[in-house]
Amino acid sequence: MRKKIMILISILTISLFGGCAIDGSVEKMMKPPKLSISQEEVKNILKDILEPDAELKMPMNGENTSAIQFVNLDEDKEEEILVFYILENDSMPLRTLILDKKEKWNIIDGIKGIGNDFDIVKFGDITGDGTLEAIIGYKGEGFFADKGLSVYDYKDGEVKEIFNNFYSAFASGDLDEDRIDELVLLKSDREEGKAKAELYKYNKSQIRKIDETKMEAYTNYGHIVVGKATENKVGVFVDEGVGAHSCKTELLIMENGKLKNVFWDDEKEFSDKTFRAYFTESQDVDNDGIIEIALLRAPIASGDGSMAGTPWITTWHNWDGNKELIYKSQSFFDYSLGFYFDFPEKWGVNIAIDGSDPNLYKEEQWIRFNYYDEENEEKHPLLTIEAINNNKWEEKQKEYEDKNLNYFKLGNKADKIYIGILEENTENSTVSEMILDIEEVKANFNIIDK
Ligand SMILES: [Ca+2]
Ligand SMILES: [Ca+2]
Ligand SMILES: [Ca+2]
Ligand SMILES: [Ca+2]
């Protein structure tokens, strides 16, 4: 390959750095290197070695979405450079090069895949020898089409494919805490109306399937996170779309060397325990190291009762270690205003939510949390959060002063300023217990970065 490349250097500049515009510049496709090489140097190396019709390709999903990645795959302490690109007209179009600097740059090719895109690129020690393997997912056309997965081991200047299989979605991680990563392949067969998760583990110098478990059919795997499900059990949280916009989470764990879908009901062949009306992602919302599953509930006395008109409250749950969920806390997410608010425990379930019409002009928008007195069917405002355009701020501030409101600044994002307005204590003792102080509001208010 290098011979061919030498001849083509001159044409390359245009094709790789002009024509490669999958999504902007090389810098944008490259995670900054840790090793002692400049981005400029990487660019120059690539100019010299890639075919003229090569286009850099960023993996579509997962955490490693750069077309040029830096990772140490072998036993020295130095990072290799992995370059992901496509040769459109080749029968094995998806290519990965490893560039490994010894006395000079060694170029290791031979990683080839079929498809249109890199789905996911991950690194994990599947073989348990203390070095990382590259796990590359190849994606063809069609949303539900099977994808191809290969695991590559790079050692002594040679790359070997040590495993390949197909998948709809996959996860890797150390599920049984033996310091070796397992692979979990989710396989959804929509024609057969079946889905399963397969557990693969390295054993006797091969990656072998050691177990499988049923999963719910006809779902779309939307978000997968591997993390602690309890203090001493790691799990694969699979957040999946069901129907038009609903969502469920299946949680896979390893127990006595077997794979277990913890909420699965053998009789019903599904589970509704994690069902919610819209898609939400499992995450460690309170940073205690354990992943929470996000369900949704309609607040008391909420709106017109329509799905879209309901100001859904997110309720966070942990797995109980058996077959149930344990309620942990609740939050209100408002993506159009760009913030979320964690409810204090004392708010309980009697919080009604009002807000400005999200479809109207957005110079000022607000959300109000009220205590709802069921007996008297009365709403008592507790806290209002407003998002105000910076250029309206002075005007608004004057208005707050005139009305003698207890207002305070919560934060800024782009051209918006967030203001909290607290109600004063009232005669009603239940209501006044619910009212927060400014510090509590600030501690529970979060700007959504995305
Ligand atoms: Ca290395
Ligand atoms: Ca390894
Ligand atoms: Ca393991
Ligand atoms: Ca947590």
Side-chain angles (χ1 to χ4, degrees):
M1 181 176 145
R2 259 170 285 171
K3 256 185 217 161
K4 177 172 70 180
I5 281 157
M6 285 308 179
I7 309 161
L8 298 165
I9 295 173
S10 56
I11 320 166
L12 257 173
T13 321
I14 303 161
S15 150
L16 174 62
F17 300 104
C20 79
I22 308 290
D23 185 21
S25 68
V26 172
E27 280 85 353
K28 224 165 131 190
M29 297 197 194
M30 176 160 55
K31 212 166 112 184
K34 262 190 256 150
L35 79 184
S36 52
I37 179 169
S38 68
Q39 302 201 343
E40 208 53 42
E41 211 179 329
V42 176
K43 274 201 232 173
N44 283 330
I45 299 166
L46 291 184
K47 269 185 212 164
D48 291 350
I49 59 173
L50 288 189
E51 290 86 343
D53 57 340
E55 290 190 10
L56 291 179
K57 201 83 173 147
M58 300 161 80
M60 297 176 74
N61 299 301
E63 283 165 19
N64 306 312
T65 52
S66 301
I68 300 168
Q69 301 189 20
F70 303 85
V71 58
N72 180 25
L73 295 175
D74 61 8
E75 275 158 357
D76 63 14
K77 300 237 158 51
E78 298 287 318
E79 287 180 328
E80 282 75 56
I81 306 175
L82 270 67
V83 183
F84 301 91
Y85 64 100
I86 188 162
L87 294 175
E88 290 279 6
N89 300 316
D90 200 278
S91 61
M92 299 279 272
L94 294 169
R95 303 296 183 95
T96 306
L97 278 186
I98 300 175
L99 309 181
D100 191 354
K101 193 167 191 176
K102 302 293 178 194
E103 292 89 46
K104 58 181 180 59
W105 281 101
N106 293 328
I107 299 146
I108 295 93
D109 59 5
I111 302 185
K112 299 177 180 178
I114 299 171
N116 308 65
D117 274 295
F118 294 100
D119 177 33
I120 296 183
V121 171
K122 288 193 76 174
F123 304 100
D125 185 9
I126 311 273
T127 61
D129 64 352
T131 64
L132 297 175
E133 283 74 57
I135 309 163
I136 302 182
Y138 299 101
K139 188 181 173 308
E141 268 173 50
F143 187 71
F144 293 116
D146 288 336
K147 293 165 234 178
L149 174 136
S150 293
V151 178
Y152 301 95
D153 195 7
Y154 177 63
K155 208 176 261 142
D156 306 324
E158 268 181 61
V159 67
K160 252 193 240 151
E161 184 190 56
I162 56 167
F163 176 74
N164 67 65
N165 210 293
F166 69 95
Y167 70 97
S168 308
F170 80 91
S172 70
D174 184 6
L175 302 187
D176 57 0
E177 299 191 73
D178 66 350
R179 298 189 179 182
I180 302 173
D181 285 348
E182 285 75 39
L183 264 181
V184 175
L185 304 189
L186 310 182
K187 297 182 176 181
S188 169
D189 186 336
R190 299 180 81 88
E191 273 172 31
E192 291 284 318
K194 281 182 182 157
K196 62 182 175 178
E198 297 178 340
L199 173 68
Y200 290 82
K201 206 171 162 57
Y202 192 74
N203 185 358
K204 295 180 192 137
S205 69
Q206 259 188 38
I207 296 173
R208 297 164 198 268
K209 185 167 92 175
I210 60 165
D211 195 27
E212 64 177 54
T213 189
K214 285 182 184 170
M215 292 190 72
E216 185 150 340
Y218 304 114
T219 67
N220 315 320
Y221 305 115
H223 171 251
I224 296 179
V225 56
V226 178
K228 276 189 168 184
T230 64
E231 201 51 62
N232 47 28
K233 187 63 87 180
V234 174
V236 180
F237 293 80
V238 184
D239 300 320
E240 49 200 36
V242 187
H245 47 62
S246 305
C247 179
K248 284 183 184 183
T249 299
E250 293 187 87
L251 171 59
L252 304 164
I253 57 144
M254 261 183 90
E255 206 169 71
N256 306 321
K258 297 277 185 189
L259 190 64
K260 197 168 156 185
N261 188 356
V262 304
F263 301 120
W264 182 259
D265 183 322
D266 257 333
E267 272 172 34
K268 288 198 283 191
E269 297 251 301
F270 67 90
S271 165
D272 268 340
K273 286 200 179 106
T274 60
F275 181 88
R276 58 268 195 188
Y278 288 98
F279 197 88
T280 58
E281 292 186 355
S282 299
Q283 57 192 279
D284 180 10
V285 72
D286 54 1
N287 296 315
D288 70 347
I290 297 172
I291 308 281
E292 281 78 37
I293 295 173
L295 306 189
L296 296 172
R297 73 170 177 86
I300 193 162
S302 62
D304 55 8
S306 71
M307 292 273 285
T310 300
W312 295 95
I313 292 171
T314 303
T315 59
W316 300 101
H317 302 259
N318 288 131
W319 175 49
D320 76 344
N322 192 15
K323 279 182 144 320
E324 301 296 328
L325 291 167
I326 314 169
Y327 166 82
K328 190 151 195 197
S329 62
Q330 48 190 344
S331 315
F332 179 76
F333 280 74
D334 193 313
Y335 289 98
S336 99
L337 270 72
F339 78 91
Y340 71 95
F341 188 72
D342 296 320
F343 284 11
E345 229 174 283
K346 65 184 179 188
W347 274 13
V349 294
N350 278 39
I351 300 298
I353 301 173
D354 303 320
S356 52
D357 186 335
N359 302 314
L360 292 182
Y361 182 55
K362 294 190 173 91
E363 226 163 51
E364 56 177 271
Q365 289 180 294
W366 54 273
I367 289 289
R368 183 172 299 129
F369 303 105
N370 310 274
Y371 172 69
Y372 186 73
D373 174 354
E374 279 178 280
E375 205 169 302
N376 302 307
E377 295 184 11
E378 275 171 6
K379 268 185 206 170
H380 300 274
L382 300 171
L383 166 69
T384 305
I385 294 174
E386 293 202 25
I388 298 158
N389 271 21
N390 280 333
N391 58 11
K392 286 269 157 184
W393 171 230
E394 268 180 43
E395 199 179 307
K396 276 306 260 190
Q397 195 170 16
K398 190 168 176 309
E399 185 190 316
Y400 294 153
E401 294 288 346
D402 291 345
K403 288 183 183 163
N404 202 19
L405 296 179
N406 181 12
Y407 73 93
F408 50 95
K409 214 171 135 176
L410 284 168
N412 289 85
K413 182 183 167 185
D415 60 342
K416 277 183 205 153
I417 173 166
Y418 293 93
I419 300 298
I421 303 166
L422 277 170
E423 297 301 319
E424 300 300 332
N425 287 350
T426 67
E427 308 267 295
N428 183 322
S429 65
T430 317
V431 177
S432 62
E433 268 171 36
M434 295 274 182
I435 288 175
L436 309 176
D437 63 41
I438 292 176
E439 289 316 308
E440 279 178 291
V441 176
K442 284 183 175 171
N444 292 6
F445 174 83
N446 307 277
I447 286 171
I448 299 171
D449 288 327
K450 287 184 217 177

